[in-house]
Every structure is written in C-alpha cells, then in structure tokens.
Amino acid sequence: AACLALAIPASLSASASARGYDGACTLAPPSVAAPGHGALRPAFWQPRPWGEARAKAREVVGRLNATEKNMLMRGVGWAKTPSFWDLKKWWYVGGTRPIPRLGIPSLNLQDAAGGFRTYWNELVGTVTAWPSLLCMAATWDPGSVRAFAVALGREFAGKGANGILGPSINVHRVARNGRNFEYLSGEDPYLGSQLVRGYVEGVQSQGIIAVMKHWVFNEQETHRDSESSEVDEKTKWELYYPPFQAAVDAGVDAAMCSYNKVGGTYSCGNEHELKTVLKEKMGFQGFVQSDWWATHGTWVDRGLDQEMPGTGEYFSEANVTARASPEAVDEAVERILGAIYRAELQNTTKCSPPDCEDWYRKNVTSREHVALARTLAAESVVLLQNTGGLLPLTSAGGVGRIAVVGAAANGSVWNPAGNGQGIADAWRIGDYYSGGGSGHVVAGHAVTALEGITRRAEAAGMTVVAAATDDRLRAAAAAAGADVAIVVAGAIAGEGK
C-alpha cells in the first residue's frame, strides 16, 4: 500500500520530507500547541496514582451527607420539552453539581470522542472538526492518535469541560452500524488495544478525564434499546474485551454502559459484566455511568455508579436510600470522587453551569490543530492499487483536464441546531464530514472535495470540469472530455440507525 498523494495538503506535502515518516504511510504530526488559549496542562502531565486518589476519596465520602452523595450519582442540566428532553443553554451534556463546602467541583462532561460537540450555533467554527475515530484507526499509528488526543483534550479544557465522553472503542460486528464511524478499534481488537492507550493518556495529559464506551457488546444501533447480545466467554475475551482491557490498563477514568441487553439483562444493570468482569477481573478503578436514558432500575448494587442524564427517578435520593445498600452507595461515590481527585479537577475546573457561557464561547481551534487534522485525514487514506503509476496526477504525466463527478464531491454541511435538535430525527443526521448523533461536529470551515481538487489542479496548471451529481449521463459526459476522472463517493452514518 502507498499513501494517496492527492490527499496531502500542499502546505504539508512540501515539508513532509523534512519532517520524515514514522511509518510507510505515516506523516510525523506537527506541534499540537495552541498558543493563546490560556495556561493549560503540559503534554507530559500525568494523573495521580489510583491508590492515592481513591484513598483521598474514601476519606471525603465519610464527610458527605446522603444528599451530597446523591448529587454525585446523578446528572443535571436537562429540561423537559413537549416531545422529550433538551440540554439547558451553556450546560454540559453530562454534569453533576459542585459541593462547595468540601471543594468538590462539578463534573463537566461533553460529547464526544471525536470532537467537541457543537450543540448550539454559537459553537460552530470555534472547535476543530477532526477526522472520525474510524479514520484514526486507519492510520495504524499510536503516535498519531496520541497527538490527536492531546489536541482534543486541549480543546475540551479550553471550553471549560473537564471530561470527555470517549474513547469509543467497540469492535465492529455489524457493517451497517450507524456508529461505526465513532469507534477507534475498527474490526480489529488488537489494533484497538494498541491505539487506545495513546488516546487515554493524551486526553488525560490535559487534565481531562476519559470515559470509555460503550460497555458492552453495543454492536448495532437498530433496536439498540431492546436487543440482547449473546456472546460466549472465549469470544468475549478474544474479540470484544481487549480494547476495553487496554483502556483500563492505561488508567481510563470512567466507563459508560450501553443501551442494549447482554444475555437478556440490560448492560447497565448486568452485575456480571459491571462487577465481575470490569471491576474485578479487569481491575477497573474508575466509575461506571449509564448512557443517556439507559438506566431502567436502581442498579447501584449491580455496579452502576452514576445515572445520566439525571432526568429519571431510579437514582433519586429516595430510591437510592430505599433500594441500594449503604456500602454500594459509598463505593459508587468513592469511585466518582477518585476519578475527580486523580485528575485534580478540584484545582483545575474552570466553571460550573450555568456560569460557563464565557468558556463555551472561546475559540479553541487553531491553525496548528487544523494542520494536524488535515495530516491525520491524509494519513488515514490507503491506496490499494496504482495501476500504471497514474498517481500522483501531474501535467508532465499528460494530465491537463480532470473531471470530478459524484454528488459527494460538493456535499453540504449539516447543522442540526435550529432544525429540531433533540426533536424527531434531526439530531441523528450526519454529513460527509462528521457522522450524525451525539458525535456530530458541525464543520465551520469545510472544504469540499471539489473545492480542494480544483485549488490543487489550478495551482498545477490543470483544468477541472465538474459534474457534482449522481446522474450517470452527466458524469459520463464530463469524463468523456477529460484526461482522467475522479469519482467522489461517500456514505452518511448516524446514531440510532
């Protein structure tokens, strides 16, 4: 395999030889520094040891009353709407209230694993629209994933968040899974295991806690709230568990349990998967939180530590007091506080909703991050054949006229904000630049394939004739008058489909 030369931006390809290659198709990433964004954690910062953090948490648990414990065990920030629920303006997707008398900060957790979710129009263009985690997997490069994660953690920290709802690391099982674009493992448990450490450590280096998801066997979106995954033990440990075990070994702070059932029992209430496997056999020290509205019972004793987004009654103080053992409650709170103290969030949390608007509005992208995003996108492209040495296209090679065909060549950006976000299916829709759902990032400065190819072609003295349509006759007519035709195809994926 060889790298696709056309995918490498001109500004980067010129300097590639100077920077060198880390692998056959791996461009060494540029600096991820983002000057002007405030005093953020240096890339070499490491969290405190789990033992030390859990010990401090254990001491604080003894000073909390029942109400304060419950505040840490359920989310806040969502308001009821006529059709469902919606996030309050300037609140984070996942959050808990602070407890000022003990210096405990709010948890400010934000979607998603591949970029800071642009939930409102004010956020568009203030964050980087990164390549998907599936693209990151296609780089086959732990170093590149780490560089991305450091930059990602820096953007989240710059927005006032102190936790990221990622990495997403399920191994692909169903090719049509609408969330495959979110998953760092692709179809390979070994690849996922090698890449996840760099992600976790990179994000944590910026003082951001990492939440691995979706635990476990959430391999399809169709009927995800009701389907039951049936997996034998050998297959579990050889195929599906390895990326999660690697994340645990890397010190991941939290785990998000999934919507589906496992062996007939909901994942978020599956004691075997949460306690026996994750917390005991794998040695997971952090806390387990539910996916949003994935809780169907007061499952504290089964291993669920935190209910998100906190709109239901299963984890109300009254229900937890009546239905959960005091020992299980204390362990849950200790695990949550342990993650907070391990990342030293009590010293670094910048705001607590609803007083986070100023942080939310900050522009945290940078020219360095955009350059890194383009490098990573190019690095993820694998050219399987180059018959006759056709690529790269050059005028010296006899190419003067290029036809660009396919509707995806000029695909538009989808912004669900203002178009029914949280209502019906608008929020699930993605585009060619970012998948749909909770992981969608609206690209503020998207360059279409047609625009990019045209710029490069004109700089090289070539002419582009476009047929940005899926009409075969128009495409054939454009191609007939060109020396070479580039067919741009794409697919759109989205959560819940």
Side-chain angles (χ1 to χ4, degrees):
C3 290
L4 180 57
L6 284 175
I8 302 175
S11 60
L12 295 177
S13 60
S15 60
S17 59
R19 288 190 281 110
Y21 286 82
D22 288 341
C25 291
T26 305
L27 285 169
S31 167
V32 296
H37 293 162
L40 300 174
R41 289 274 172 80
F44 54 79
W45 185 87
Q46 293 183 341
R48 297 169 68 178
W50 272 117
E52 182 181 326
R54 289 284 297 267
K56 179 176 175 63
R58 197 171 305 118
E59 184 272 328
V60 174
V61 168
R63 299 161 58 191
L64 294 169
N65 59 43
T67 298
E68 291 168 333
K69 291 177 182 179
N70 189 253
M71 288 167 62
L72 291 166
M73 295 176 65
R74 62 191 310 218
V76 291
W78 291 76
K80 193 74 176 72
T81 69
S83 60
F84 193 55
W85 296 86
D86 201 5
L87 183 62
K88 296 178 183 178
K89 196 68 174 283
W90 311 124
W91 289 66
Y92 296 93
V93 170
T96 58
R97 296 188 184 279
I99 304 175
R101 77 176 186 90
L102 293 175
I104 298 173
S106 59
L107 279 177
N108 301 339
L109 310 179
Q110 183 70 4
D111 286 323
F116 193 94
R117 185 178 180 182
T118 49
Y119 205 98
W120 302 291
N121 286 322
E122 293 92 335
L123 306 182
V124 176
T126 69
V127 297
T128 306
W130 299 95
S132 70
L133 287 196
L134 186 56
C135 274
M136 299 296 173
T139 69
W140 299 81
D141 188 348
S144 290
V145 172
R146 182 184 296 271
F148 156 70
V150 171
L152 184 68
R154 192 167 293 237
E155 292 199 1
F156 272 65
K159 285 286 191 183
N162 57 22
I164 179 172
L165 298 173
S168 309
I169 51 179
N170 292 67
V171 176
H172 292 185
R173 171 66 175 81
V174 178
R176 297 177 113 181
N177 183 350
R179 301 189 81 171
N180 278 352
F181 74 93
E182 293 187 48
Y183 291 132
L184 185 61
S185 299
E187 296 178 308
D188 190 335
Y190 179 77
L191 175 64
S193 300
Q194 294 301 302
L195 298 180
V196 70
R197 175 175 290 276
Y199 184 106
V200 170
E201 293 179 349
V203 164
Q204 289 177 339
S205 76
Q206 300 306 306
I208 299 294
I209 68 171
V211 183
M212 67 178 183
K213 62 185 187 183
H214 300 91
W215 179 265
V216 62
F217 312 127
N218 186 183
E219 308 305 326
Q220 66 182 58
E221 287 297 285
T222 303
H223 306 306
R224 68 179 185 180
D225 296 304
S226 59
E227 71 89 9
S228 180
S229 298
E230 310 292 330
V231 193
D232 65 85
E233 289 298 309
K234 179 179 174 65
T235 305
K236 288 179 179 180
W237 285 99
E238 291 185 357
L239 186 60
Y240 295 109
Y241 287 159
F244 291 97
Q245 180 69 72
V248 171
D249 293 343
V252 73
D253 304 282
M256 184 189 297
C257 53
S258 49
Y259 293 108
N260 58 287
K261 297 176 183 178
V262 179
T265 301
Y266 278 110
S267 175
C268 289
N270 193 306
E271 186 171 353
H272 175 74
E273 296 297 339
L274 295 180
K275 295 179 69 175
T276 304
V277 176
L278 181 60
K279 294 181 177 179
E280 295 174 14
K281 291 185 178 181
M282 288 189 175
F284 175 61
Q285 294 294 309
F287 67 94
V288 176
Q289 68 175 192
S290 71
D291 207 336
W292 276 227
W293 298 284
T295 304
H296 304 282
T298 309
W299 291 330
V300 184
D301 283 85
R302 298 187 186 185
L304 179 60
D305 303 310
Q306 186 181 77
E307 185 267 328
M308 283 292 173
T311 58
E313 290 301 314
Y314 295 116
F315 269 52
S316 68
E317 183 179 347
N319 277 331
V320 169
T321 300
R323 301 176 183 178
S325 67
E327 295 79 11
V329 170
D330 284 353
E331 181 184 341
V333 175
E334 178 188 319
R335 286 176 173 272
I336 296 166
L337 285 175
I340 289 173
Y341 293 137
R342 184 168 182 264
E344 299 183 3
L345 300 187
Q346 73 276 18
N347 300 323
T348 60
T349 298
K350 301 173 179 66
C351 66
S352 292
D355 300 319
C356 292
E357 179 179 353
D358 289 346
W359 286 97
Y360 247 122
R361 287 183 176 275
K362 288 183 182 293
N363 188 337
V364 296
T365 189
S366 65
R367 297 176 69 178
E368 291 85 357
H369 285 190
V370 172
L372 177 60
R374 295 176 70 182
T375 299
L376 293 168
E379 190 181 346
S380 72
V381 177
V382 178
L383 179 64
L384 299 180
Q385 286 187 341
N386 191 14
T387 304
L390 176 64
L391 299 178
L393 302 178
T394 64
S395 54
V399 178
R401 190 174 178 85
I402 301 172
V404 178
V405 301
N410 202 31
S412 60
V413 172
W414 169 255
N415 181 2
N419 289 281
Q421 172 128 338
I423 300 174
D425 276 349
W427 74 281
R428 302 179 190 273
I429 299 173
D431 53 37
Y432 296 125
Y433 315 102
S434 180
S438 59
H440 187 65
V441 176
V442 179
H445 309 285
V447 177
T448 69
L450 177 59
E451 291 170 338
I453 293 170
T454 300
R455 293 177 191 174
R456 292 291 301 274
E458 290 177 349
M462 304 176 192
T463 301
V464 170
V465 55
T469 173
D470 291 336
D471 183 280
R472 295 183 181 180
L473 294 179
R474 291 176 60 188
D483 300 307
V484 63
I486 298 176
V487 179
V488 181
I492 295 173
E495 183 174 349
K497 296 183 179 295

